[in-house]
Amino acid sequence: GAVVSQHPSWVICKSGTSVKIECRSLDFQATTMFWYRQFPKQSLMLMATSNEGSKATYEQGVEKDKFLINHASLTLSTLTVTSAHPEDSSFYICSAKAPSGRTDTQYFGPGTRLTVL
Amino acid sequence: EDKVVQSPLSLVVHEGDTVTLNCSYEVTNFRSLLWYKQEKKAPTFLFMLTSSGIEKKSGRLSSILDKKELFSILNITATQTGDSAIYLCAPNNNDMRFGAGTRLTVKP
């Protein structure tokens, strides 16, 4: 089956620093990738939709200057949390759409746990 | 605005019980509906439903979609403690927004 990787799987950083999270589709080309954030005991909240070669579409309330998304190739999307603060501590998960017949199937990465001190 | 509503939000049952989880949606450009199970990390795929009235089965889990009434159900029969998880549904369209999930706890 399709595989999506994320790196790093966990990161601890100081307040004010920037953190980059990579999401790769390993055995398929993903024209669309999604970035989610999940706080404890809550569902996945869509942050942005990332399309290869174009600007990401952000959900309402998500600051595009704080959460920079770059979908530079069909297999790689990156999320950079700039000037991270403790309230940005969360579980960040990416997913990639792989065409499956007439409809698309979505595959998740394993997630990145970010802790901002 | 797209809406995805799951119910119940939380459910506690005993091993051997049967549970039904609900997902209703209102989205544009609907293509299919996806069900996922999330334990400790990222969600794992369960089902993709594209056609109304056709049940999909995988072991003790089954799911069906009603595109006219805009809902789907996920059934789990003879529940086991390993079924304890959050179950998420997401309509597959241009965006992939999830419902709030149903937290299922199966007690021994």
Side-chain angles (χ1 to χ4, degrees):
Chain A
V3 177
V4 176
S5 71
Q6 256 182 267
H7 178 80
S9 55
W10 59 270
V11 57
I12 301 173
C13 69
K14 289 184 179 179
S15 189
T17 60
S18 293
V19 175
K20 181 188 279 190
I21 303 170
E22 290 187 351
C23 177
R24 291 181 187 272
S25 55
L26 298 183
D27 54 0
F28 65 97
Q29 292 185 329
T31 52
T32 304
M33 289 185 172
F34 302 93
W35 286 96
Y36 297 88
R37 180 167 50 182
Q38 186 174 34
F39 293 107
K41 299 192 178 180
Q42 293 186 24
S43 186
L44 299 169
M45 297 302 297
L46 180 64
M47 297 175 69
T49 302
S50 168
N51 293 298
E52 186 266 338
S54 64
K55 289 185 180 179
T57 304
Y58 289 82
E59 291 296 288
Q60 198 170 8
V62 177
E63 299 173 57
K64 59 182 71 173
D65 294 331
K66 181 170 182 62
F67 298 99
L68 301 178
I69 291 172
N70 186 332
H71 194 152
S73 76
L74 286 171
T75 59
L76 173 65
S77 177
T78 60
L79 168 68
T80 301
V81 183
T82 61
S83 187
H85 291 288
E87 59 265 29
D88 299 323
S89 298
S90 187
F91 191 51
Y92 292 86
I93 307 177
C94 73
S95 71
K97 261 191 180 179
S100 172
R102 292 183 297 123
T103 60
D104 300 329
T105 304
Q106 186 191 29
Y107 297 93
F108 283 91
T112 296
R113 185 159 301 282
L114 170 65
T115 302
V116 185
L117 301 176
Chain B
E1 187 181 313
D2 293 350
K3 278 198 289 190
V4 186
V5 178
Q6 286 188 249
S7 64
L9 292 180
S10 178
L11 191 54
V12 180
V13 300
H14 287 93
E15 274 192 317
D17 290 347
T18 293
V19 297
T20 298
L21 310 181
N22 304 292
C23 174
S24 65
Y25 61 91
E26 288 180 39
V27 302
T28 54
N29 302 311
F30 176 84
R31 293 203 282 272
S32 60
L33 188 121
L34 306 175
W35 280 98
Y36 289 87
K37 176 183 182 182
Q38 186 179 27
E39 295 175 88
K40 292 186 178 169
K41 285 209 166 179
T44 53
F45 174 78
L46 293 176
F47 297 110
M48 179 170 71
L49 305 159
T50 55
S51 302
S52 279
I54 299 175
E55 185 184 55
K56 292 221 171 174
K57 271 183 83 76
S58 176
R60 295 176 293 104
L61 276 67
S62 63
S63 185
I64 198 160
L65 174 68
D66 186 328
K67 288 165 78 172
K68 184 180 174 190
E69 299 298 328
L70 307 181
F71 78 90
S72 174
I73 60 171
L74 173 69
N75 277 323
I76 308 175
T77 59
T79 52
Q80 302 171 357
T81 54
D83 295 327
S84 297
I86 298 174
Y87 291 84
L88 300 163
C89 72
N92 189 352
N93 61 355
N94 295 329
D95 309 313
M96 291 290 301
R97 293 193 182 86
F98 284 84
T102 294
R103 181 178 290 275
L104 174 65
T105 303
V106 181
K107 294 189 171 181

